[in-house]
Amino acid sequence: MKLYTTTLKSPVGPLRLYANEGALTAIYLENHKGAPVLVASEGESHPVLREARRQLEEYFAGERVSFELPLEPIGTSFQQAVWKALREIPLGITWSYAGLARHIGREGASRAVGSANARNPISIVVPCHRVVGTSGKLTGYAGGVPTKQWLLEHEQRIRERTTGR
């Protein structure tokens, strides 16, 4: 499978975007823990990458509350279920790992959910940063906890402005 890539400057640092012929496959932050080394052709003009850049720029400008992109993250069926559920967490809202496990019908699988969450290859668009510890504490994030905190605060500002709450 041929991959294409481009870089987007963002308030949380450079983001490396990857796509195959028809879908976004990964977004990695500059200091992303566990990011694989991917071989990809420069794809500045690739239609999926252009659209992903546009939507991410709108998100960072506070103008976008959800993403409408074709996605193809590569993972196990369990990981896919977790990543699908992540996209159901509303902007500016957080769920616990236990809550996410219950949501996918796997109560008691908080650790496995946490592991799948940590392996999410499409940062921000698949909002793994919206998952926190049961106490509400910000726990690990592949891009660093300060980045997670920035993303959550950014989304809370967008939510307050767009919904009044």
Side-chain angles (χ1 to χ4, degrees):
M1 164 178 54
K2 183 158 175 120
L3 285 179
Y4 302 87
T5 189
T6 191
T7 301
L8 171 67
K9 290 181 183 173
S10 83
V12 294
L15 301 176
R16 195 74 174 163
L17 286 64
Y18 293 89
N20 60 23
E21 291 297 331
L24 191 66
T25 59
I27 299 176
Y28 293 114
L29 295 117
E30 182 177 43
N31 59 344
H32 199 107
K33 290 182 205 149
V37 176
L38 299 173
V39 176
S41 300
E42 189 55 44
E44 188 74 25
S45 64
H46 187 285
V48 171
L49 292 175
R50 270 198 335 259
E51 183 60 16
R53 287 177 62 91
R54 184 183 71 77
Q55 290 188 29
L56 283 161
E57 287 167 350
E58 290 173 354
Y59 167 83
F60 286 118
E63 300 164 356
R64 177 168 285 278
V65 298
S66 64
F67 295 95
E68 293 135 22
L69 296 164
L71 305 178
E72 281 187 26
I74 297 171
T76 67
S77 59
F78 179 78
Q79 289 170 332
Q80 297 283 346
V82 171
W83 301 336
K84 180 180 180 292
L86 290 172
R87 295 192 303 270
E88 297 170 20
I89 304 173
L91 180 101
I93 301 295
T94 58
W95 289 3
S96 69
Y97 294 98
L100 186 57
R102 274 191 307 279
H103 184 75
I104 65 168
R106 298 289 301 269
E107 193 163 350
S110 297
R111 285 182 185 258
V113 162
S115 179
N117 196 52
R119 287 177 175 74
N120 168 31
I122 307 181
S123 298
I124 303 167
V125 170
V126 176
C128 54
H129 59 276
R130 295 180 190 158
V131 183
V132 297
T134 302
S135 68
K137 183 176 190 250
L138 299 187
T139 54
Y141 182 62
V145 172
T147 299
K148 182 174 188 165
Q149 182 170 356
W150 189 94
L151 291 167
L152 290 171
E153 289 172 356
H154 174 67
E155 291 183 354
Q156 287 164 354
R157 286 189 298 273
I158 294 170
R159 183 176 179 84
E160 287 169 5
R161 193 179 75 250
T162 59
T163 66
R165 53 189 165 119

